[in-house]
Amino acid sequence: MSTVQLRATLPTVDAVVALIPSGSGLPDGVPWSAFGFTGEAGDVAVVPSGDTQLTAWVATAEQPTAEQQRRAVAKGLRSVPKATRVGIDPSRVAEADLAAIAEAAVLTTYSYLDYKGDEARRKTTSVDTVTILSPDARKAAAKRLVDDAVVIAEATCVARDWVNTPPGDLRPPAFADAIKAAAPAGVRVQVWDEKRLTKENCGGILGVGAGSDAPPRLVKLTYNPEGAKTHLALVGKGITFDSGGLSLKPGASMMTMKCDMGGAAAIVAATTAIARLGLPIRVTAFACIAENLPSGTATRPGDVLRMRSGATVEVHNTDAEGRLVLADGLALAVEAKPDHVIDVATLTGAAMVALGTRTTAVLGNDEALQDRVLGAAEVAGESMWRLPITEEIGAAVKTSSIADLRQHNPKPYGGTMYAAAFLREFVADASWAHLDIAGPAFNDGAAFDYTPVGGTGAGVRTLVHLARELG
């Protein structure tokens, strides 16, 4: 992850990423055809421009959006992998787009090397400094845009780090400690251990964590700046490793299950960014943390759990554990009487079947709030799509013969809608939206654009932009 600075002139650098809007004409003196560069959006040509310097020319749309700017910067940075000092010349970019460029610089140069040896670290080239060239560099407003973008991108990278950490090193107590250590000034942190969770009747979190010798935790973060008029509650699923419990996953399906705490990572990272930015909005965040393992003490299919809300839930599949921890978190969030509640979770494989691996499903009980989430996602450059909670799916949640609610869908389809319908039972009349990030939270393919292999930090930037709008 690089340091980003804004300058009116470029210092000495190893490479320059130069963005060229399509149709603006190509500079003279370069044999463009030899590089296969036509100036069409997406074209890249890496051209020697000195004894040691390279210039990566990247063609963009004629009037690129902020997201197109991010992707163009990422493409340019990835085309000069050996550079450690990079300049970005964004051509005739608007001042407002400087934020997108700065975000892309931080997000693209992220790497996770904590478990690499010294030799591997030495061989891994990483960008130390990115300098953005702009005639507005001396303007306070432009500098603020870049600085704020860096705060948001750095928070996204913190979430990435947590998701990438091996699950044996980030069990529930350790994750709670990491959250506490990451909290900035102005954010109050409370950690509930298993005794407090028992006292507070959090049967969902306790039930999921019952099979592990690392007990569950709930971490509550409070940011309440003076003058805040809107109160936003955030709830995140924090399953530090999901084996499926007694409803055991196949071995191959466990390999990426360290990412099952991506929702908690996102809401915590977003809260820290909101506080660092000083946004005038009150935020109460609940990270619901447990490890889902099989053992003689694990919750069994057929067990009934009594939740924080007082409702009883019949467990049908211990591999559908995320909704159980979220249910307690949502009940606590509603008790705080916020204006809006957002939960974020790597909740259902069905979301990936419906929308692929790069798009978040958005569901809820408040269309206006969902519209605002989708608008914030568009600003952030995160792909999200609305799904319904249909009447028949909602009715199926109440078909248990022995408890108030049935935890798992009796039919093998509509899984994302069923999970959301279940969660809706715990939000009462609160304005609520549910973000299922099962697909985009973890990239187990090749890096693309500014998205690395592994944890992506999905949801962080959208939540911060939403908080900015609501505040």
Side-chain angles (χ1 to χ4, degrees):
M1 190 169 62
S2 59
T3 299
V4 176
Q5 56 187 7
L6 189 65
R7 295 281 184 85
T9 58
L10 284 180
T12 301
V13 294
D14 306 313
V16 174
V17 173
L19 308 185
I20 309 176
S22 180
S24 64
L26 300 177
D28 295 329
V30 177
W32 297 107
S33 59
F35 292 97
F37 189 90
T38 65
E40 293 294 318
D43 280 359
V44 180
V46 180
V47 180
S49 53
D51 291 339
T52 58
Q53 184 175 296
L54 299 172
T55 298
W57 298 92
V58 184
T60 69
E62 187 172 351
Q63 293 183 319
T65 64
E67 178 61 8
Q68 288 170 332
Q69 294 272 14
R70 290 187 195 96
R71 295 184 183 188
V73 168
K75 188 169 286 190
L77 287 169
R78 292 196 188 281
S79 69
V80 287
K82 296 186 181 300
T84 60
R85 298 166 300 168
V86 179
I88 298 178
D89 182 353
S91 188
R92 293 183 293 276
V93 66
E95 181 180 295
D97 288 333
L98 291 172
I101 292 168
E103 269 189 14
V106 175
L107 295 173
T108 307
T109 57
Y110 169 85
S111 59
Y112 186 72
L113 302 174
D114 289 17
Y115 290 81
K116 294 285 189 180
D118 292 342
E119 184 65 21
R121 285 170 179 259
R122 281 193 294 270
K123 290 181 178 179
T124 301
T125 302
S126 58
V127 177
D128 295 324
T129 306
V130 173
T131 303
I132 302 171
L133 179 65
S134 172
D136 299 318
R138 293 184 177 87
K139 294 182 179 178
K143 187 177 185 304
R144 178 66 184 268
L145 282 170
V146 169
D147 290 347
D148 286 0
V150 169
V151 167
I152 297 169
E154 287 178 345
T156 304
C157 292
V158 168
R160 290 174 173 182
D161 280 349
W162 283 335
V163 171
N164 286 329
T165 302
D169 289 344
L170 199 72
R171 303 182 81 187
F175 189 19
D177 289 343
I179 292 171
K180 193 170 184 179
V187 174
R188 181 187 176 204
V189 181
Q190 297 172 275
V191 179
W192 289 5
D193 63 12
E194 65 274 27
K195 293 181 180 178
R196 180 68 184 273
L197 288 167
T198 301
K199 181 180 179 181
E200 300 290 346
N201 301 312
C202 293
I205 298 173
L206 289 165
V208 173
S212 172
D213 63 356
R217 295 287 186 266
L218 181 134
V219 183
K220 178 182 178 182
L221 296 90
T222 305
Y223 168 65
N224 192 10
E226 186 176 350
K229 296 180 180 179
T230 302
H231 183 189
L232 174 65
L234 301 175
V235 181
K237 173 187 173 184
I239 305 300
T240 60
F241 183 73
D242 182 19
S243 70
L246 290 176
S247 304
L248 196 65
K249 294 178 183 289
S253 299
M254 294 187 204
M255 282 305 300
T256 59
M257 282 300 101
K258 65 180 182 180
C259 80
D260 218 18
M261 35 63 69
I267 64 111
V268 171
T271 302
T272 64
I274 290 164
R276 288 180 62 193
L277 294 171
L279 298 186
I281 183 170
R282 179 182 172 190
V283 178
T284 308
F286 299 87
C288 308
I289 305 170
E291 186 175 47
N292 188 24
L293 294 179
S295 76
T297 60
T299 295
R300 295 152 172 78
D303 280 349
V304 173
L305 303 177
R306 188 173 296 276
M307 316 299 281
R308 167 72 183 190
S309 69
T312 57
V313 175
E314 182 183 9
V315 176
H316 283 252
N317 183 340
T318 63
D319 195 21
E321 81 299 327
R323 65 200 68 180
L324 298 174
V325 301
L326 287 174
D328 284 342
L330 287 169
L332 288 163
V334 170
E335 290 172 24
K337 295 182 168 46
D339 297 293
H340 306 286
V341 180
I342 309 282
D343 78 76
V344 185
T346 49
L347 204 60
T348 65
M352 290 188 282
V353 173
L355 299 176
T357 59
R358 299 187 185 183
T359 299
T360 293
V362 180
L363 304 93
N365 64 1
D366 183 340
E367 288 193 6
L369 177 60
Q370 291 177 68
D371 287 341
R372 298 182 91 161
V373 169
L374 292 168
E378 185 173 1
V379 171
E382 296 195 274
S383 176
M384 297 193 182
W385 194 260
R386 191 199 315 257
L387 293 178
I389 304 174
T390 59
E391 183 179 349
E392 70 277 9
I393 290 288
V397 172
K398 299 179 181 179
T399 57
S400 170
S401 62
I402 63 170
D404 298 322
L405 302 172
R406 177 187 175 112
Q407 170 233 18
H408 195 260
N409 196 354
K411 297 182 180 180
Y413 38 79
T416 301
M417 293 189 293
Y418 188 95
F422 178 86
L423 296 178
R424 185 175 60 182
E425 296 296 319
F426 298 90
V427 298
D429 296 325
S431 167
W432 161 71
H434 163 60
L435 277 58
D436 191 332
I437 59 170
F442 195 85
N443 175 27
D444 59 0
F448 62 92
D449 298 329
Y450 49 85
T451 300
V453 175
T456 65
V460 175
R461 293 180 296 132
T462 293
L463 292 176
V464 176
H465 285 292
L466 177 65
R468 177 175 277 155
E469 180 189 335
L470 292 174

